[in-house]
Amino acid sequence: MFVAVALSGALFTSCSDKKDTAVTTETTAAPEAAVEDEAAKQDTIKITLNANDKMQFDQTELNVYAGQTVELTLNHTGTMPKEAMGHNFTLLANGTDMAKFGEEAAKNKENDYLPTDMSSVLAHTDLIGGGESTTITFAAPEKGTYDFLCSFPGHYSIMKGKFNVK
C-alpha cells in the first residue's frame, strides 16, 4: 500500500510540472528565422545551380530578397557538348508563357536558343556544355515569384523552377 501511495504522489508531482515544458518549446523556430534574417541583410547573395546530362537542375526553388545583387553560377556537371545537351539559366518576367517562349527560343540557334525579342528575359547565362561553368550578376527583381528555365530546345518543360523574391 505504501508503494501505491508513493507512486501516486510521484505521478501527481510530475503532472504539475507542465508549465516548464511550454517554456522550452518556444525556441525551436528561432534558428531558421535567424538564418533568413542574415540572408536578408546580405547585399549580395551567391547561388550555385548545377545542371546535368539528364536535363535536370539540382534546385527547383531559389530564394532571394528584393534589392539584393544576385551572383548566380551555373555548372554543367555532365559530359555532353553544348550542341547536344547545352544548358543555361533564363529568368523570365512574370506573365511569360513558357511554352511560347520555348518555341521562340528553339528557333534561334545562332543566339544560343534565346528569342529575338528579349523583353520577357530578366536575366540569363551563356549556354554551356558538359564540364563548363558560367556566372552572371544581376539585381533581384521586385517581390514575387518568377519562373526560371533552360531555353535549349525541349528542355524548358523539364528544366524549370521558381525564383522567389521575398
Side-chain angles (χ1 to χ4, degrees):
M1 174 120 173
F2 176 75
V3 173
V5 172
L7 283 176
S8 65
L11 286 174
F12 178 77
T13 303
S14 67
C15 290
S16 67
D17 289 339
K18 287 186 179 177
K19 289 181 185 175
D20 291 339
T21 59
V23 174
T24 58
T25 59
E26 290 179 37
T27 59
T28 57
E32 185 177 310
V35 169
E36 284 189 24
D37 287 345
E38 282 303 310
K41 291 178 186 176
Q42 296 175 5
D43 290 336
T44 300
I45 185 164
K46 294 182 179 191
I47 297 172
T48 300
L49 184 63
N50 298 304
N52 62 33
D53 285 341
K54 295 179 182 178
M55 294 180 10
Q56 299 169 327
F57 285 126
D58 68 341
Q59 299 175 71
T60 56
E61 277 201 54
L62 302 174
N63 298 305
V64 301
Y65 289 86
Q68 282 185 316
T69 298
V70 178
E71 185 178 302
L72 185 135
T73 299
L74 176 66
N75 298 314
H76 191 318
T77 60
T79 59
M80 296 177 75
K82 82 175 183 178
E83 295 78 21
M85 187 60 66
H87 296 314
N88 67 8
F89 166 88
T90 307
L91 181 62
L92 302 177
N94 278 333
T96 302
D97 182 317
M98 273 203 270
K100 286 182 182 177
F101 180 89
E103 289 170 17
E104 288 302 311
K107 297 175 188 176
N108 286 307
K109 181 180 180 180
E110 67 283 346
N111 195 31
D112 281 343
Y113 300 108
L114 291 168
T116 306
D117 178 7
M118 296 286 285
S119 62
S120 60
V121 176
L122 299 178
H124 70 88
T125 64
D126 292 334
L127 187 70
I128 58 173
E132 297 179 328
S133 292
T134 184
T135 300
I136 58 169
T137 302
F138 61 96
E142 64 185 37
K143 288 182 182 183
T145 300
Y146 301 82
D147 291 314
F148 71 86
L149 54 80
C150 173
S151 67
F152 192 86
H155 289 197
Y156 74 88
S157 62
I158 298 169
M159 293 186 75
K160 60 186 175 182
K162 298 294 181 187
F163 190 84
N164 303 311
V165 183
K166 299 177 181 182

